[in-house]
Amino acid sequence: MTGLFERHQVTLQAALDAAAKRDYWSAYPEVPSGKIYGETARDDGLATYEARLGKSFDLPGHPAESSVGAEVSPYGPSLGITYPAASVDMLVAASRVAARQWGSATPEVRTGICLEILARLNARSFEMANAVMHTTGQAFAMAFQAGGPHAQDRGLEAVAYAYAEMSRTPTEAIWTKPQGKSEPIILEKHWRIMPRGVALVIGCNTFPTWNSYPGLFASLATGNTIIVKPHPAAILPLAITVEVIRQVLMEEGFAADTVLLAADATGSEITKNLVQHPSISIIDYTGSNSFGSWVRANARDADVYTEEAGVNSIVIGATDNFAGMCSNIAFSLALYSGQMCTAPQNIFVPQDGIGTDEGHKSFDEVAAGIAAAVDELLADPARAAGVCGAIANPATLARIATARSLGRIVRDSAPVEGLSQARTATPLILAVEANEESYAEERFGPITFIVAVDDVTDGVNRAAELAERKGAITAALYETGEARILAAADRFAAAGVNLSVNLTGGIYVNQSAAFSDFHVTGANPAGNASLTDTAFVANRFRVVMWRRPIAA
Amino acid sequence: MTGLFERHQVTLQAALDAAAKRDYWSAYPEVPSGKIYGETARDDGLATYEARLGKSFDLPGHPAESSVGAEVSPYGPSLGITYPAASVDMLVAASRVAARQWGSATPEVRTGICLEILARLNARSFEMANAVMHTTGQAFAMAFQAGGPHAQDRGLEAVAYAYAEMSRTPTEAIWTKPQGKSEPIILEKHWRIMPRGVALVIGCNTFPTWNSYPGLFASLATGNTIIVKPHPAAILPLAITVEVIRQVLMEEGFAADTVLLAADATGSEITKNLVQHPSISIIDYTGSNSFGSWVRANARDADVYTEEAGVNSIVIGATDNFAGMCSNIAFSLALYSGQMCTAPQNIFVPQDGIGTDEGHKSFDEVAAGIAAAVDELLADPARAAGVCGAIANPATLARIATARSLGRIVRDSAPVEGLSQARTATPLILAVEANEESYAEERFGPITFIVAVDDVTDGVNRAAELAERKGAITAALYETGEARILAAADRFAAAGVNLSVNLTGGIYVNQSAAFSDFHVTGANPAGNASLTDTAFVANRFRVVMWRRPIAA
């Protein structure tokens, strides 16, 4: 039926190799360059995005009873796009109708189609960048990377893992059991991959594609039909994704309804009804701990994969590059105004200060150094806009306002100059004592606590205990003593947190690279699964056999 | 610390190869022969078993507050063995104390220890055979095979899958990201396997070792500590298992409490409290659907792997070996008096009969042929005892009595001659119409319904629908038309049932071979997991990383 598997086999094999070696590798260039994507790609992507504004988003053949859509760009304008909307029962029924055909396709056919979808999405990365920028508030360059190639890489990674698991068991074998001096018993056996059913993917506001693609592509490759439930404030990136998927499915002779969009409106979300529907077999969820906890508790027999939230920490014990440390931390705090699940919130610093290449630095000097580095990073308004982007959710501004009273202000938050129509905020940095509880809650957005601790060991223990209690996706350590580094690696591993040590150059604790870094461990309350490992894909299908005797 | 991994590496590699190829392979000889196990092994095993009777079972250092034990052999005598018993909190606390050391061992050390445990268990297969025989009612030969080598093979299979997954990600890698004309960014990355926590293994009465070893060894190899909760009527086989495990752990310098026995008494079971304990991270359960459903609903954030029950079917459309078919089915019905989760309950036969090598056979002739084959199989009392064994649970006899009124009796159940002290029952075979509901429930034990259907397609559809509603672990088909065979394979695959076609020789639908047959699919209500595939092991651990820059 298709030659797509053969067409993309080199990419698939490279992805499998990269995932096994875990060296750097990427299938989709992260540089938004005309030389790579075509000289007119940037303008074309913008034009395609703008042509969608103020119109209904057409998904031919998609079930619909009404339309919804009220997205407003964090940069100011309303998008004015409406999407087809259908009841949960209508969506599930349509998904089930599509299930048999898709489930009967071979793993190779499905994998080939997934790879073609990813290639098409890659070609539309500039359009996607605009869609992500104006739904999440990410600056354009980040929206391009995180919403485009990096998300596609994460999708490819999931497809590769899924294909590896689906092909681990042979499709047939001859089983020959010796019977002493008698003739052996010989059976022919046949195995096939059976999907689980209807998979639900619940997207988030800040990374609608990056966080959704792993679950979406893992479930799709393994033969499940998919209902994509975007956050009401970030529908467009996933609507474009669903549009591309449905186009490829139809071209290859499959039902478009194999993948559906479950658009809804703030205040009348259909998410809970989807989660509790008895036909839903798999749920991928990205979002808050509170709703994640509800999903885990209320899903029926569906397998649930969550990325929730946590309280990420940096612990500073010593550094041989004080300036590099401060500027590295500053970038991690300011990038997308701290609205990344990987952004640090707490910085544990010994109350008596630290040793550095610039001599001893007191607690206040360390705090001041980080604050100064943020100021320097954001001194140029254009650069500030490019780093911070805009604030996705108005509640984050309110949270910053409230947070100001939670400690001594080391650096105040302020709007980003030159983005007057946008909702923006630079990092708020507060100094607190270790015995305060203010820093022990996730405070999503550009809110940082510098916490005075006894020493680096105290900091590591507090950070790790917080991770065990509240979850954490990342941790960072600055330390020069190898024994203390290894001890911290042990402690954070026990807390299920991935740790970055002594980052001072152009790599940041926030960054998680497909094919090398597993994103989230699943080993603390920040999420129950990892993107993407074998555990993330192996339960999305079952293996069923038939066997019969054959003559010796 | 140990050379056990190296000592058993050949076995491990052979197991990995076998699981990949799925041809016949076994590590532990299934023949209870003195030539293999030692000339005195049979007598020694019996003597060791008998020496345990009427005494307290000593597990040195095991937590205990009291003792329990009231096992009665289905063959008559009370065992009179008591076991150390402790509260749930005491068991969980002891397990947690042992956790850090065991979780810190390398996958190779843990895998080597698991392989050594299996080798020691293999050497004690005769002792285990007696223990299994007198707790489950299995005849000696079956108790030896299913309780010993076959269970050990299933344990080895789980260890092999676990090791494969733990070693899939490298322990370290260098990540080099090009930066155009600038120096690349280079990070060293380190990964480690982190266990999930305390794993609970809930055993069943009929196959205490075979059904428990996969979960036990999968969780143990991946670094979790284990609490083994045996059925109160079948403690001894798992107590011996725990004894062997604790001995090896201690010899290798690990805490014996890494694996604990949670013995309890009928009527005051501690299972529910264990399931709901917040420290339990993994639960493996074998047993009824009703309690399985409770476990799945009431486990907290623990991952739950279940083998529950189902209604297994045989569908007869045609055969070119009527005598072989009847005798094959007869053995499947009589083996261990139908007390296998894989035993068929329903036989769907076209009401107008079937074509055979002996000419057309009416519905009644097919039913009579099967009944006669059962009679012939059980004509010799010694052979009948060896095939049927004894009835594990008195409730099964009551169930047979009740079932007699559910249809027309084709063959009545009767005690097995020559086992006068034992609780025994040969197969009851009833004929019913397709529209009756009597056969649509699991009726555990030697109860068979021969159901009159329109034709083979009707039979396949009814059997598959029943599997989808009530679960099924096995299905069998007798058919000569290739198109109908392939259609049935499709239909049973959709219902998540493994299918055996045209078995007439010395291989039976009840039998599931390690390294080749996945036991249970996880794709219908008979269980949510398969023994053993990647999905069974991949979630029993997490992967955690630390990374840092290194100079170019």
Side-chain angles (χ1 to χ4, degrees), chain B residues 268-335:
Chain B
S268 51
E269 287 92 347
I270 61 175
T271 324
K272 287 189 174 184
N273 290 336
L274 280 165
V275 167
Q276 292 182 304
H277 197 287
S279 290
I280 299 292
S281 298
I282 301 171
I283 298 171
D284 285 274
Y285 165 78
T286 309
S288 68
N289 300 78
S290 58
F291 194 68
S293 175
W294 185 91
V295 170
R296 285 184 278 107
N298 289 278
R300 293 188 175 210
D301 278 335
D303 285 336
V304 179
Y305 303 85
T306 71
E307 180 191 319
E308 305 178 40
V311 185
N312 303 321
S313 297
I314 297 174
V315 182
I316 303 180
T319 179
D320 58 9
N321 182 356
F322 184 71
M325 177 186 84
C326 290
S327 63
N328 189 280
I329 292 174
F331 189 83
S332 286
L333 302 182
L335 183 62

Side-chain angles (χ1 to χ4, degrees), chain B residues 12-29:
Chain B
L12 176 64
Q13 190 55 52
L16 289 166
D17 292 347
K21 290 181 189 156
R22 309 208 79 76
D23 190 1
Y24 171 79
W25 185 76
S26 170
Y28 309 109

Side-chain angles (χ1 to χ4, degrees), chain A residues 20-24 30 165 168-170 173-178 185 187 189 191-192 194 296 301 482 485-486 489-490 493-494 496-503 506-509 511 513 516-518 521-523 528 534-535 538-539 542-549, chain B residues 20-24 30 165 168-170 173-178 185 187 189 191-192 194 296 301 482 485-486 489-490 493-494 496-503 506-509 511 513 516-518 521-523 528 534-535 538-539 542-549:
Chain A
K21 290 180 189 156
R22 308 207 80 78
D23 189 1
Y24 171 81
E30 69 180 2
E165 289 317 307
R168 196 166 302 290
T169 299
I174 303 297
W175 183 84
T176 305
K177 182 174 182 179
I185 296 169
L187 299 180
K189 301 189 179 186
W191 291 271
R192 69 181 82 185
M194 297 300 294
R296 284 184 279 107
D301 277 335
E482 189 70 5
I485 291 172
L486 297 178
D490 285 350
V497 191
N498 290 323
L499 173 68
S500 297
V501 178
N502 293 336
L503 300 185
I507 185 87
Y508 306 95
V509 66
Q511 295 174 324
S516 184
D517 297 324
F518 296 102
T521 65
N528 74 358
T534 303
N539 257 308
R542 298 296 184 218
V543 180
V544 186
M545 174 194 66
W546 71 277
R547 63 183 184 178
R548 65 175 161 188
Chain B
K21 290 181 189 156
R22 309 208 79 76
D23 190 1
Y24 171 79
E30 68 180 2
E165 289 317 307
R168 197 166 301 291
T169 299
I174 303 296
W175 183 83
T176 306
K177 182 174 181 179
I185 296 170
L187 299 180
K189 301 188 178 186
W191 291 271
R192 70 181 82 183
M194 297 300 295
R296 285 184 278 107
D301 278 335
E482 188 70 7
I485 291 172
L486 297 178
D490 285 351
V497 192
N498 290 323
L499 173 68
S500 296
V501 178
N502 293 336
L503 300 186
I507 184 89
Y508 305 96
V509 65
Q511 295 174 322
S516 185
D517 296 324
F518 296 103
T521 65
N528 74 358
T534 304
N539 257 307
R542 298 296 185 218
V543 180
V544 186
M545 174 194 67
W546 71 278
R547 62 183 186 179
R548 66 176 162 187

Side-chain angles (χ1 to χ4, degrees), chain B residues 18 20 53:
Chain B
L53 300 175

